[in-house]
Amino acid sequence: MLSSSSLIWIGVLLLGLEASLTRASDFQHHAYEEMVRALFAVQSDCPYITRIYSIGRSVEGRHLYVLEFSDNPGIHEALEPEFKYVGNMHGNEVLGRELLIYLAQFLCEEYRAGNERITHLIHDTRIHILPSMNPDGYEVAARQGPEFNGYLVGRGNSKEVDLNRNFPDLNALMYYYEKQNGQNHHLPLPDNWELQVEPETLAVIKWMQNYNFVLSANLHGGAVVANYPFDKSREPRIRGKTISSATPDDKIFRKLAKTYSYAHSWMHKGWNCGDYFDEGITNGASWYSLSKGMQDFNYLHTNCFEITLELSCDKFPPATALASEWLANREALVYYMEQVHHGIKGMVYDENNNPISNAVISVAGINHDITSGTDGDYFRLLLPGTYTVTASALGYQPFTSMVTVGPAEAVQVINNNPNTLFISDFFSITFFFVLLTSYLSI
């Protein structure tokens, strides 16, 4: 259930949107060149809050373009979280691609119109939108068209490789480490991994490594459900039986999935496409087990929490369905982005107030750590509650503090004493700054 404050924000968003993408002619499928023109048109309309960059090329040489929204495009601002949306990983699952184009247009239009909610989101978040991870597969699917598209036509890239089965398999290593009390985050990649993945997968992995993403969603089609990690089962397959495979952050992942499901017009109702998912969410392995998927890779190799959004029964819906699908998903797409601001965040400094990167942030009782970024800032998604949080780094004494997370955003409070814990009763959230004292050398 949405809180009263959430409902107020929703009202702010929905007021005055009649001019934003309301004509049926505004909704159409975009071939690659049309998609690129649409992205550059948004950048032209909102040049001071957007940037377009390419993370690489597909097998056939098409750019994988990302459109960034920020009040300082191209710059990571300390304590401002990074968010990403990825669409069209499967080339024939096209609704996510179109929704992300519409989302980009919507953010630009609403920002220019002075929408306070959207302005706040863009000023406090660095948003990255990759409408198509698989532009080659899309072109194959589009040649068939919505009426004749087969279930698998265009699913893979131009070499017919399924990109959601193409990431290094870190689950097996994680499950081994769980039994051995080993490393629980940022698992290492296998030797020569770059030679074992497709160009599109390689580009996305490098992207993840270059940006300290906090939250993400991967948009798919063929069902209507919010799917959360782990996708790969811990147990061997048993015919006719599936077993949930929970992460240490299962509670927050379930909350994130419900955030989208309940903000969507009908996902939360459960019955969709002939399937039933309670509250419109599912653990990936509980649905079916898959290896080398992207959402598990995000969690195991980076600081990013990602879920997979299955958004339509029809993988390639006709253009006439796009307007209603946009209205069904619009609030959910915005509300999900706002979740990147829930939990704790702060800075890790040494005794000279120099930021420390790659410091490990651990939460007692949750066997999954995250690390600070290049600027020494960290972001840890957490549900409301009281936690024991420890920051540690090689060559420094660890610092531990009790923190209380409330339902409001994790925001920064100016503090002249970095060893002090502050609580803001207004926001019901704890903000802490970590000072690591270096060991005395002999």
Side-chain angles (χ1 to χ4, degrees):
M1 179 178 292
L2 300 180
S3 67
S4 59
S5 60
S6 298
L7 292 172
I8 291 171
W9 279 118
I10 292 171
V12 171
L13 176 62
L14 295 181
L15 288 175
L17 297 190
E18 291 79 3
S20 299
L21 292 170
T22 54
R23 298 184 304 275
S25 59
D26 290 333
F27 295 91
Q28 59 181 324
H29 288 291
H30 293 76
Y32 177 75
E33 291 79 8
E34 295 166 335
M35 178 186 72
V36 172
R37 284 196 294 270
L39 296 179
F40 275 90
V42 171
Q43 201 280 325
S44 177
D45 288 341
C46 290
Y48 301 112
I49 59 165
T50 60
R51 176 178 71 110
I52 292 180
Y53 63 97
S54 173
I55 61 172
R57 291 179 181 267
S58 67
V59 171
E60 295 182 359
R62 294 181 174 91
H63 278 288
L64 306 180
Y65 281 119
V66 174
L67 181 60
E68 173 191 337
F69 282 86
S70 170
D71 57 343
N72 287 289
I75 300 172
H76 173 74
E77 299 175 75
L79 295 170
E80 184 172 286
E82 309 262 354
F83 176 95
K84 64 180 167 71
Y85 271 133
V86 178
N88 201 207
M89 184 182 201
H90 290 145
N92 64 333
E93 297 174 12
V94 306
L95 180 59
R97 172 189 178 113
E98 300 306 326
L99 290 178
L100 293 183
I101 295 171
Y102 305 151
L103 177 64
Q105 295 169 340
F106 171 79
L107 292 176
C108 175
E109 291 170 3
E110 291 302 306
Y111 185 88
R112 294 175 65 189
N115 184 312
E116 291 184 12
R117 183 188 185 191
I118 298 304
T119 300
H120 176 73
L121 179 65
I122 291 174
H123 283 185
D124 292 347
T125 320
R126 194 179 182 197
I127 302 164
H128 305 257
I129 298 174
L130 173 62
S132 182
M133 181 179 168
N134 185 5
D136 296 352
Y138 175 88
E139 296 301 314
V140 173
R143 283 196 289 271
Q144 299 287 321
E147 295 83 6
F148 304 104
N149 185 257
Y151 198 78
L152 297 176
V153 175
R155 176 183 176 90
N157 67 356
S158 69
K159 295 196 291 185
E160 299 186 0
V161 174
D162 186 333
L163 299 180
N164 205 31
R165 310 292 192 280
N166 190 236
F167 285 76
D169 184 0
L170 299 181
N171 292 75
L173 182 59
M174 180 74 251
Y175 300 158
Y176 171 78
Y177 281 160
E178 286 178 341
K179 298 176 182 178
Q180 304 298 321
N181 196 28
Q183 187 172 338
N184 68 11
H185 66 101
H186 288 81
L187 301 189
L189 300 181
D191 294 339
N192 300 318
W193 68 269
E194 290 132 316
L195 304 178
Q196 302 169 27
V197 299
E198 293 300 298
E200 298 90 347
T201 309
L202 176 63
V204 168
I205 291 176
K206 294 290 187 181
W207 186 37
M208 294 180 192
Q209 293 173 335
N210 290 331
Y211 293 83
N212 187 21
F213 293 115
V214 179
L215 182 61
S216 174
N218 177 18
L219 280 55
H220 284 246
V224 178
V225 64
N227 174 334
Y228 57 91
F230 284 124
D231 269 333
K232 183 175 181 177
S233 176
R234 288 181 173 83
E235 308 298 331
R237 288 187 181 182
I238 301 174
R239 181 178 293 274
K241 184 178 181 181
T242 58
I243 302 174
S244 178
S245 186
T247 70
D249 285 286
D250 188 62
K251 291 181 179 179
I252 186 67
F253 271 119
R254 289 176 60 85
K255 169 63 166 57
L256 290 169
K258 288 180 184 179
T259 293
Y260 199 95
S261 174
Y262 276 90
H264 186 279
S265 293
W266 57 78
M267 184 183 289
H268 61 279
K269 296 179 180 179
W271 282 109
N272 290 292
C273 316
D275 294 319
Y276 178 76
F277 298 99
D278 189 30
E279 298 187 279
I281 70 171
T282 185
N283 173 265
S286 180
W287 187 11
Y288 61 90
S289 180
L290 71 87
S291 298
K292 301 183 179 181
M294 185 163 71
Q295 73 174 6
D296 287 5
F297 182 87
N298 271 269
Y299 185 69
L300 295 175
H301 185 62
T302 76
N303 287 326
C304 190
F305 287 36
E306 180 173 279
I307 66 172
T308 299
L309 300 171
E310 302 280 354
L311 297 178
S312 61
C313 303
D314 191 342
K315 287 175 175 283
F316 204 129
T320 54
L322 296 178
S324 61
E325 291 288 0
W326 165 243
L327 292 176
N329 284 276
R330 181 181 60 194
E331 168 58 26
L333 288 166
V334 175
Y335 192 43
Y336 183 77
M337 285 191 286
E338 292 170 332
Q339 305 312 300
V340 76
H341 292 284
H342 291 274
I344 59 174
K345 67 179 181 180
M347 298 291 299
V348 184
Y349 296 109
D350 66 14
E351 67 274 21
N352 296 315
N353 287 328
N354 297 312
I356 298 176
S357 62
N358 293 315
V360 176
I361 310 299
S362 305
V363 179
I366 303 177
N367 189 32
H368 181 80
D369 303 334
I370 57 97
T371 59
S372 59
T374 303
D375 296 328
D377 54 348
Y378 68 88
F379 308 84
R380 202 353 169 148
L381 298 177
L382 290 169
L383 294 176
T386 300
Y387 301 90
T388 301
V389 181
T390 300
S392 58
L394 185 64
Y396 295 87
Q397 293 178 351
F399 182 92
T400 299
S401 188
M402 295 286 292
V403 299
T404 299
V405 177
E409 293 183 2
V411 296
Q412 180 67 30
V413 174
I414 300 301
N415 180 6
N416 293 323
N417 183 353
N419 221 12
T420 301
L421 179 69
F422 278 100
I423 299 178
S424 168
D425 293 330
F426 181 77
F427 288 101
S428 300
I429 187 73
T430 298
F431 322 100
F432 75 90
F433 306 71
V434 178
L435 175 65
L436 299 180
T437 305
S438 59
Y439 290 120
L440 296 176
S441 59
I442 299 176

